[in-house]
Amino acid sequence: MQKITKKQYFCSMIQKLTMAAQAAVKGLYGVEAEGQNLLQKTRKEFSGHFTLVVFPFLKASRKSPEQTASEIGDYLKANYPALVAEYNVIKGFLNISVASECWVEALNDIAQAENYGNKPVRDDSPLVMIEYSSPNTNKPLHLGHIRNNLLGYSLSEIMKANGYKVVKTNIVNDRGIHICKSMLAWQKWGGGATPETTGKKGDHLVGDFYVLFDKHYKAELKDLKTKELTDEEAEAQSVLMAEAREMLRKWEAGDEEVRALWNRMNSWVYSGFDETYRRLGVNFDRIYYESETYLEGKATVLDGLEKGIFYRRDDGSVWADLTADGLDEKVLLRSDGTSVYITQDIGTAKLRFDDYPIDKMIYVVGNEQNYHFQVLALLLDKLGFAFGRGLVHFSYGMVELPEGKMKSREGTVVDADDLMDEMLRTAREISAELGKLDELTQQEADDIIRIIGLGSLKYFILKVDPRKNMTFNPKESIDFNGNTGAFIQYTYARIRSVLRKAEDEQPGWFSKPVKFSADTPLNDKEMAVIQTLTEYPAVVKEAADTYSPALIANYVYDLVREYNQFYHDYSILHEENDAVKQLRLLMSASTAKVIRNGMSLLGIEAPERM
C-alpha cells in the first residue's frame, strides 16, 4: 500500500486521492492506473466529492462495473480511513466522499498560506517576455487595444504567479505611411493646433487628423473616378497619397523638418497613451520603438542574405523561401530597400534577445496575424535565435460592439478613454439606484465607482475564452447579479464587512487554526466552498499552461457562487456553536483572500466596502 501523509493530501486533495486510487487498483488488480485526470469532480446531482471511472479496469478485475467500483471503494475506506469517509457506486462510477477532518485541515493550510496558489520567483526561474499593446502613433487606443492590454497584463501576472520571471514589453509602431498621413493632414488643415490649444488629449488630436486625411483622400479618389479611371488608376494619380509617400521618404532620409514634426506629434501621442495606460492599470517594463528596430531588422536580413538563408530577386528585393516548411515565399526587403512589417519584428526580436536572456517569448496579437507569426517563428529559427521555434503567439479573437466591427480610418472605433468614461457613468447610475453609495463621502464614492466601473470592464472581457471573438456590451457588464465583476466585488466587500464585525466582537476570531471535532461536522455547502478553495492552485497553473485568464475569472465566479449559496442558508455571526462559528469565519476569510488574489491576476481591485 502506498502511504500518504496528512500533510500531503491536505495541500492537494485530488492529487493525493489519485495516489490512493492508483494504489488501490495496483493492490487489487496488479495494474497501473495512469493518467493525471484519473479523478474528476463529482457532478452536482450526485453525492460525493470526486469520481473514479472504473471501466478501464474491468479487463483486469474480470468483474462487473458495479463490483469493481465497490471493491475499490472498500479498499480505500479500509486503507485510507482518514481520507475517505464514504463512497457510493452508480454503474461504473465510484463517487468518493472525503472525510470532514481532511477538509478542515485543508482549510487551515489555505488560511495560513500567505501567497496561497502562487509559486515563488527564484534566481534560476525561466524568463518569459510578453509583448502586448503594440499601438500605432496615428490614433488613440480603442476597444481592441483594451482587450489586448488586459489579456497581456493578466497573462503576465499569471505567469508570475507560476514562478516565472516576467518582462512586460511593448512595441510602438511609430513610423510608416500611416504616421505620415496624420502629419500631412496636420500640416495642411491643422492651423497649428496642439493639445494645449484644443484641450484634447494628444493621441485623440493626432487621431482626428488621421481620419481627416482619409476623408480628403476619399474625396480626391471620388473626383478622379469621375474621369473614368479605375480604382487602381485613381489611387496611382492621387496627389495626397503621393505627398504622404514623399514625406515618408524624407523621414527615412532624415529630413530635419519632417523629423521635427514627427517627434512633436509623437510626443503628444505618448503623453496620451501614458494617461490611458495608467487609467487602465497596465504597465510595461520595457518599451521598444519601431523607428529604432527596423534598421536592426534590415541589417539582420542582409546578414541572413549573405549567409545564404535568404535570396535576392532580379528587382533587388530580398525574399525568404519557406515552401519547404509548408508556407509561401515572403518578401523581407522591397526592391527600393525599404523594410516590411516582419522586418521590424525580426529587428525587435534581435534587440530583445540581446537585452534579456529570454527563455520564452509570448506575443499577444489578434488572430488575424496567425500566419504572420508562423512565418516569424520560422525566420527567427533560421537566423539562429534560440526562442524562434518556441515563440508563442497568444492569438486572441476580435472584440466587437453590438453594432458590428470598428473602422479606424472612418472614425467609428470605440475610443478606450470614452469607453472607460461610459463605464464609470454606468457604474455610478446603477450604484446610486441600488443605494450602494449611501453614507459615503464624495471621495469614497468616486473611488468605489472607479473600482466597480473598471473592474466590470476588465472582468467582462477577461471571462471570455481569449481565442473566441466577443461582443462587448457596456450595459451588460455592470450587474450586481450573475457572472460579472461587480457581483464578485460585492461578495468580497460583504465578506470583509462580516470579518470586520467579527473582529470588533472578538479580535482574532478568524486568524486561528480550527480544531476539528466530531460534534461539529461540516455541512455539504461548507465542504463545497472548501473544496473549491483547494482547486485554486491547479487553476492558476492551468491558466498559465493554456494562456487563459478566462480560467481564473470563471473560477472566481464559481467560488463566489458556492460561497453565496452557503451564506444564504447559514448564519456566521449569529452561530451559537463557537467552533462552527470560528470555522465559518476562517472559511470566509480564506474565500476573501482567494477572491482578492484571483482578481488581482486579472488586474481587478477588490473593494473593502461597497
Side-chain angles (χ1 to χ4, degrees):
M1 181 184 72
Q2 188 175 7
K3 186 177 180 181
I4 301 174
T5 66
K6 278 188 177 182
K7 197 62 179 176
Q8 282 179 302
Y9 65 71
F10 289 165
C11 294
S12 185
M13 198 77 71
I14 191 168
Q15 288 92 337
K16 304 316 168 185
L17 191 56
T18 296
M19 291 172 60
Q22 289 171 329
V25 172
K26 180 73 171 177
L28 289 168
Y29 310 123
V31 296
E32 300 291 342
E34 299 179 352
Q36 294 181 340
N37 298 318
L38 190 64
L39 287 165
Q40 303 293 330
K41 192 172 182 178
T42 302
R43 290 163 56 180
K44 288 282 188 182
E45 59 265 33
F46 300 112
S47 174
H49 299 117
F50 299 102
T51 297
L52 174 68
V53 181
V54 304
F55 294 110
F57 316 125
L58 298 185
K59 184 176 179 181
S61 71
R62 298 183 179 181
K63 295 177 182 175
S64 70
E66 291 82 357
Q67 289 175 308
T68 302
S70 294
E71 280 189 346
I72 296 173
D74 288 340
Y75 186 101
L76 291 172
K77 279 201 68 177
N79 291 280
Y80 302 96
L83 176 60
V84 177
E86 299 290 343
Y87 74 85
N88 65 83
V89 175
I90 300 178
K91 297 183 179 179
F93 299 90
L94 172 62
N95 300 319
I96 303 165
S97 295
V98 174
S100 291
E101 182 181 359
C102 294
W103 292 125
V104 172
E105 292 297 334
L107 176 61
N108 284 330
D109 285 348
I110 293 168
Q112 293 168 19
E114 290 186 15
N115 296 305
Y116 177 63
N118 291 6
K119 293 181 180 178
V121 178
R122 306 183 186 280
D123 290 341
D124 60 348
S125 295
L127 188 147
V128 177
M129 178 174 279
I130 301 176
E131 175 194 293
Y132 59 97
S133 199
S134 307
N136 295 327
T137 55
N138 64 313
K139 55 190 176 185
L141 302 177
H142 55 63
L143 176 56
H145 289 113
I146 285 183
R147 190 178 196 191
N148 180 294
N149 279 279
L150 295 182
L151 287 171
Y153 181 84
S154 179
L155 182 61
S156 299
E157 296 303 301
I158 290 168
M159 298 303 283
K160 287 181 191 176
N162 279 272
Y164 291 93
K165 295 176 183 175
V166 174
V167 175
K168 295 174 288 188
T169 185
N170 186 0
I171 175 69
V172 178
N173 300 301
D174 63 341
R175 61 171 291 277
I177 191 67
H178 55 291
I179 310 298
C180 292
K181 290 176 181 178
S182 294
M183 292 164 59
L184 184 62
W186 184 87
Q187 280 186 332
K188 287 181 171 293
W189 307 294
T194 68
E196 291 75 21
T197 62
T198 61
K200 280 195 171 186
K201 281 180 78 228
D203 52 337
H204 289 213
L205 180 63
V206 173
D208 288 345
F209 285 113
Y210 181 68
V211 173
L212 188 60
F213 177 94
D214 191 65
K215 177 182 176 181
H216 283 275
Y217 177 56
K218 285 182 176 178
E220 183 186 20
L221 292 181
K222 183 178 181 181
D223 184 59
L224 287 169
K225 288 176 185 178
T226 62
K227 301 176 183 178
E228 299 184 356
L229 298 177
T230 64
D231 290 348
E232 292 76 12
E233 290 170 336
E235 290 170 4
Q237 291 188 28
S238 166
V239 174
L240 199 56
M241 188 61 73
E243 289 181 301
R245 292 196 183 100
E246 175 61 16
M247 180 175 279
L248 177 59
R249 187 196 65 76
K250 287 182 177 180
W251 183 92
E252 293 199 358
D255 182 276
E256 290 185 6
E257 184 179 343
V258 171
R259 286 290 180 116
L261 177 58
W262 173 76
N263 280 320
R264 186 184 187 194
M265 294 182 71
N266 273 353
S267 70
W268 298 343
V269 175
Y270 298 148
S271 177
F273 283 174
D274 288 344
E275 184 179 334
T276 304
Y277 288 140
R278 282 194 299 271
R279 194 177 182 193
L280 194 58
V282 303
N283 52 47
F284 309 94
D285 301 306
R286 178 69 183 271
I287 298 179
Y288 292 86
Y289 298 89
E290 185 181 343
S291 57
E292 298 172 352
T293 66
Y294 83 105
L295 290 176
E296 189 72 45
K298 290 176 68 173
T300 304
V301 168
L302 291 174
D303 184 58
L305 176 66
E306 187 176 329
K307 293 176 179 177
I309 299 171
F310 309 129
Y311 74 95
R312 190 185 294 276
R313 289 188 177 178
D314 293 341
D315 64 356
S317 57
V318 177
W319 292 71
D321 185 356
L322 304 177
T323 54
D325 300 286
L327 303 179
D328 297 325
E329 292 186 296
K330 176 66 178 177
V331 62
L332 303 177
L333 292 174
R334 299 185 185 93
S335 57
D336 61 1
T338 57
S339 60
V340 295
Y341 187 68
I342 205 163
T343 314
Q344 164 245 305
D345 274 350
I346 292 172
T348 306
K350 181 182 183 302
L351 289 175
R352 287 169 173 167
F353 192 72
D354 291 342
D355 292 341
Y356 297 93
I358 299 170
D359 293 292
K360 186 182 290 292
M361 181 72 215
I362 302 175
Y363 294 85
V364 181
V365 182
N367 56 19
E368 78 278 8
Q369 295 293 329
N370 286 349
Y371 183 79
H372 174 88
F373 282 98
Q374 287 180 331
V375 172
L376 180 62
L378 279 173
L379 293 176
L380 292 175
D381 182 63
K382 290 178 185 295
L383 288 166
F385 292 100
F387 63 83
R389 286 269 185 176
L391 74 79
V392 175
H393 173 206
F394 179 12
S395 173
Y396 64 90
M398 295 297 97
V399 56
E400 301 176 0
L401 294 169
E403 299 82 32
K405 293 184 178 180
M406 302 174 290
K407 297 179 181 179
S408 298
R409 292 191 185 95
E410 298 177 10
T412 60
V413 299
V414 175
D415 180 83
D417 297 307
D418 292 343
L419 178 59
M420 286 189 279
D421 287 341
E422 182 178 350
M423 293 298 297
L424 297 190
R425 283 194 298 270
T426 304
R428 186 177 297 278
E429 289 170 4
I430 294 176
S431 298
E433 288 174 6
L434 297 175
K436 296 189 181 298
L437 303 181
D438 296 347
E439 300 180 3
L440 295 179
T441 66
Q442 186 64 49
Q443 183 177 348
E444 289 173 335
D446 290 344
D447 195 45
I448 290 296
I449 291 306
R450 178 188 60 80
I451 291 172
I452 295 173
L454 295 183
S456 296
L457 168 65
K458 294 177 182 183
Y459 186 84
F460 195 90
I461 286 177
L462 292 174
K463 73 177 182 179
V464 178
D465 183 334
R467 289 170 289 273
K468 295 181 179 179
N469 291 343
M470 68 169 293
T471 299
F472 180 76
N473 189 328
K475 294 179 181 178
E476 291 181 4
S477 65
I478 300 181
D479 189 338
F480 288 91
N481 294 292
N483 191 1
T484 65
F487 173 64
I488 293 169
Q489 290 171 322
Y490 177 66
T491 300
Y492 176 83
R494 182 164 61 185
I495 296 174
R496 294 297 301 159
S497 175
V498 169
L499 297 177
R500 284 193 297 272
K501 291 176 182 177
E503 185 69 12
D504 290 340
E505 176 187 308
Q506 184 173 333
W509 258 116
F510 52 90
S511 61
K512 301 174 183 177
V514 174
K515 294 182 179 179
F516 176 77
S517 173
D519 62 351
T520 57
L522 298 179
N523 60 56
D524 289 343
K525 293 191 175 178
E526 289 166 338
M527 284 190 280
V529 172
I530 298 172
Q531 181 174 3
T532 306
L533 289 171
T534 66
E535 295 164 1
Y536 180 63
V539 174
V540 173
K541 181 180 184 304
E542 187 180 359
D545 292 343
T546 60
Y547 309 112
S548 180
L551 293 179
I552 301 291
N554 288 288
Y555 163 82
V556 175
Y557 171 65
D558 288 341
L559 172 61
V560 165
R561 188 170 53 181
E562 290 286 1
Y563 181 86
N564 278 317
Q565 289 176 358
F566 151 77
Y567 185 86
H568 180 269
D569 291 348
Y570 296 96
S571 174
I572 300 175
L573 296 177
H574 296 115
E575 171 57 46
E576 295 181 356
N577 185 310
D578 281 351
V580 173
K581 183 175 183 177
Q582 184 187 357
L583 181 140
R584 291 177 181 172
L585 286 169
L586 192 70
M587 185 179 75
S588 298
S590 298
T591 299
K593 176 169 68 175
V594 172
I595 292 172
R596 183 185 66 245
N597 291 351
M599 293 292 265
S600 72
L601 296 183
L602 305 176
I604 300 173
E605 296 177 65
E608 289 293 309
R609 291 176 171 81
M610 266 178 72

